[in-house]
Amino acid sequence: MRVPQAASGQADMTAFEDKKVFVKTYGCQMNVYDSNRMMDSLATRGYSPTEDMNEADLVILNTCHIREKAAEKVYSELGRIRQIKEKREKDGKGEMKIGIAGCVAQAEGQEIIRRAPVVDLVVGPQAYHMLPDLLERTNGGARVVETDFPIEDKFKALPAAKKEVTRKRGVSAFLTVQEGCDKFCTFCVVPYTRGAEVSRPVAQIVSEAKGLADAGVREVTLLGQNVNAYHGEGSDGRDWGLGELLFELTKIEGLDRLRYTTSHPRDMDDTLMAAHRDLDCLMPYLHLPVQSGSDRILKAMNRQHSYEDYVRLIDRIRSARPDIALSGDFIVGFPGESDEDFEQTMQIVREVTYASAYSFKYSPRPGTPAADDENQIEDAIKSERLYRLQDLLNAQQKAFNASKLGEEMTVLLERKGREPGQLVGKSPWLQAVQVDAPDNLIGEIVTVRIDTVGSNSLFGTMIDPAR
Ligand code: 5AD
Ligand code: SF4
């Protein structure tokens, strides 16, 4: 996985020796996107990615802070990395620098430098465009922390990936359009680690999306911590919402599939609803977390909507796009959650019916209001509730997958499957689909009839290799 440097012709590439960077990504899709952008930025200084930490001149852990033990995981991983670093340096293979990025970096900052002498650099998510310069500042042994939210536009400063690099990353890509959150749910660290809501201007997003399409990307997932609160500057100088942005992106040739994640129920406006109704390329899948079915708990979580509001919203979405599959996030054992509250969560799941879902035990995050609540729930109760909820959600997911048996659907073929002659792709509803197909069809959207439904994927036969 080397960036071909001789072909680049860029003057600054020749000024730096060829180096390797190993990036380990934790957490959400935005971190996956950020890791790629960090690698693009480091590529301008001669770094190419490696999957072998032993040969890395630079190791970056792109961390997640959303649930507990995140920081502890980072410190224990650092222990392991230190051994590799020491061995590498003893073997005379050169220095290995270590950087911590992502939300643990943002939340812990200086504390990481204090606790982990092996770390050279701590960089928060808003400062990734400064990464090469920050790294340079560590030359000569200085240890650098950059966790302020600088005012410069990081996205403007981050270089785009080269076409061949984008192509290698696959035919489905992420594109961050919005970052941060102003909602302040009382359990959540995001407003503190990622900061206030910021939307990228439409032109910047369109230009990045065109670059992706040019490189052969067929599906783009727009990312944001609160993506449907998107309000970026449009071509007419007004702020556009996510719906308007989606309509604009459909004009890009080659981008046949659009998705977005993750959303808040309060921000589903009429234009976004219309996008679901009118745009074939907007995939019929929506991740719309509700977290709890209890009005009392929703209020304590500061979610700003009720059980009824959510169910009515789902009805409206389903009338706009009847085949839409829903996905959600749930938290059990939020402080003060009674058996009745939890039953309301079970009830909303039964009423809405999800195609897939993520569910978690509440985990107190330092600095968030709910962490200071005295009515914390015992772990044994949380475990029991999580077990029951997941049982129900798994049954719904199985039923959803089973409902596709015998159905014909379009599948974007993404990569080789486990068996020779097999490819793996994605259904419109984000299910993995395995098909017998030749490698040259990777990147094509084909029609597949589903013959078998497994626990994690669907198996089908290709009907029409053309689009
Ligand atoms: N405890 C448990 N789950 C949480 N999430 C966010 N914060 C917490 C927390 N403190 C979950 C929510 C959110 C998802 C990304 O992670 O369900 O939607
Ligand atoms: Fe966290 Fe999402 Fe709530 Fe924002 S809307 S505070 S990111 S859970």
Side-chain angles (χ1 to χ4, degrees):
M1 286 257 280
R2 316 199 76 181
V3 182
Q5 309 213 345
S8 81
Q10 283 185 15
D12 63 342
M13 295 289 266
T14 50
F16 300 89
E17 39 177 319
D18 184 23
K19 290 187 179 156
K20 299 280 185 197
V21 53
F22 174 95
V23 180
K24 181 164 179 177
T25 309
Y26 300 80
C28 67
Q29 292 141 324
M30 194 174 287
N31 269 8
V32 175
Y33 174 85
D34 285 346
S35 291
N36 283 338
R37 295 306 299 262
M38 282 193 266
M39 283 194 273
D40 297 339
S41 167
L42 291 165
T44 64
R45 306 288 173 106
Y47 281 91
S48 56
T50 175
E51 279 162 28
D52 178 5
M53 198 191 286
N54 295 296
E55 62 167 31
D57 302 284
L58 170 65
V59 171
I60 295 179
L61 301 183
N62 191 7
T63 60
C64 170
H65 203 230
I66 195 93
R67 281 171 294 275
E68 84 194 307
K69 303 206 183 98
E72 290 317 310
K73 253 191 257 164
V74 171
Y75 290 117
S76 72
E77 180 71 5
L78 280 172
R80 199 175 71 86
I81 297 171
R82 199 187 63 201
Q83 289 176 353
I84 296 173
K85 174 187 163 86
E86 281 168 0
K87 174 153 190 329
R88 185 184 143 88
E89 292 177 358
K90 206 173 93 206
D91 293 348
K93 289 187 182 154
E95 193 193 9
M96 178 194 271
K97 284 195 177 167
I98 298 174
I100 305 294
C103 295
V104 174
Q106 187 62 44
E108 301 258 310
Q110 213 42 273
E111 175 68 8
I112 299 178
I113 292 288
R114 200 184 60 76
R115 266 188 71 178
V118 75
V119 171
D120 300 287
L121 172 65
V122 177
V123 55
Q126 302 311 321
Y128 292 158
H129 56 302
M130 295 155 70
L131 186 57
D133 291 335
L134 294 171
L135 200 59
E136 220 154 272
R137 278 179 26 208
T138 65
N139 290 342
R143 304 174 75 205
V144 175
V145 178
E146 181 54 77
T147 52
D148 285 343
F149 293 144
I151 313 155
E152 304 102 288
D153 184 348
K154 131 178 110 161
F155 290 108
K156 242 192 269 167
L158 277 168
K162 292 208 165 53
K163 216 173 185 170
E164 60 271 18
V165 174
T166 301
R167 186 74 188 89
K168 264 194 197 152
R169 287 177 185 159
V171 294
S172 179
F174 296 130
L175 200 175
T176 292
V177 301
Q178 177 279 336
E179 260 191 73
C181 183
D182 296 342
K183 291 280 188 303
F184 290 93
C185 298
T186 56
F187 53 81
C188 187
V189 283
V190 166
Y192 312 97
T193 54
R194 289 274 173 168
E197 228 178 78
V198 177
S199 295
R200 299 175 68 185
V202 172
Q204 212 184 71
I205 295 164
V206 168
S207 150
E208 189 170 329
K210 278 187 178 152
L212 293 171
D214 271 356
V217 168
R218 304 292 300 274
E219 175 179 89
V220 166
T221 303
L222 306 181
L223 299 180
Q225 266 94 27
N226 210 337
V227 73
N228 60 343
Y230 174 83
H231 54 88
E233 189 188 343
S235 51
D236 53 4
R238 259 188 331 110
D239 272 2
W240 289 15
L242 185 66
E244 284 169 288
L245 176 66
L246 286 164
F247 275 99
E248 186 69 19
L249 290 172
T250 61
K251 296 179 188 159
I252 298 176
E253 200 163 331
L255 277 194
D256 294 301
R257 288 181 157 199
L258 295 172
R259 303 177 183 276
Y260 63 90
T261 197
T262 178
S263 300
H264 192 287
R266 289 272 304 212
D267 295 315
M268 293 299 300
D269 68 15
D270 290 347
T271 318
L272 188 50
M273 231 44 124
H276 279 289
R277 187 190 61 216
D278 299 339
L279 297 177
D280 284 341
C281 65
L282 180 56
M283 292 295 99
Y285 182 95
L286 177 61
H287 182 67
L288 196 62
V290 69
Q291 315 292 359
S292 167
S294 153
D295 283 344
R296 216 172 58 81
I297 297 297
L298 286 169
K299 194 159 193 304
M301 286 177 165
N302 189 31
R303 290 291 291 178
Q304 302 168 52
H305 66 79
S306 66
Y307 180 118
E308 266 317 300
D309 295 334
Y310 183 83
V311 169
R312 254 187 283 128
L313 176 63
I314 298 295
D315 284 346
R316 284 179 59 215
I317 295 166
R318 283 198 165 125
S319 21
R321 183 78 202 227
D323 66 339
I324 203 157
L326 290 166
S327 150
D329 289 345
F330 299 89
I331 294 177
V332 300
F334 184 82
E337 185 186 69
S338 66
D339 286 342
E340 295 75 50
D341 292 320
F342 174 66
E343 288 311 321
Q344 284 300 106
T345 299
M346 294 292 279
Q347 184 52 34
I348 204 165
V349 172
R350 282 188 213 102
E351 187 164 350
V352 171
T353 317
Y354 291 89
S356 73
Y358 302 88
S359 43
F360 314 99
K361 289 193 230 179
Y362 169 72
S363 138
R365 311 309 294 127
T368 60
D372 297 332
D373 195 310
E374 284 165 8
N375 304 308
Q376 300 292 330
I377 304 292
E378 251 177 71
D379 191 60
I381 297 178
K382 287 183 192 170
S383 299
E384 194 204 314
R385 289 180 185 165
L386 187 66
Y387 183 83
R388 279 189 58 206
L389 177 62
Q390 292 189 337
D391 212 33
L392 176 60
L393 290 166
N394 288 341
Q396 292 191 345
Q397 178 164 10
K398 235 170 133 185
F400 178 74
N401 288 343
S403 74
K404 301 295 175 200
L405 189 64
E407 204 172 283
E408 286 180 18
M409 60 176 70
T410 57
V411 172
L412 169 60
L413 298 173
E414 293 187 37
R415 58 195 147 82
K416 292 184 188 185
R418 222 178 283 151
E419 308 295 329
Q422 206 179 50
L423 297 183
V424 186
K426 225 184 283 141
S427 82
W429 304 280
L430 218 55
Q431 297 147 301
V433 184
Q434 316 226 22
V435 211
D436 286 337
D439 289 359
N440 64 352
L441 289 186
I442 290 177
E444 293 298 319
I445 296 172
V446 299
T447 305
V448 170
R449 192 192 51 245
I450 302 304
D451 305 322
T452 321
V453 175
S455 49
N456 290 318
S457 54
L458 311 179
F459 301 84
T461 311
M462 201 163 54
I463 294 176
D464 173 16
R467 232 192 306 160

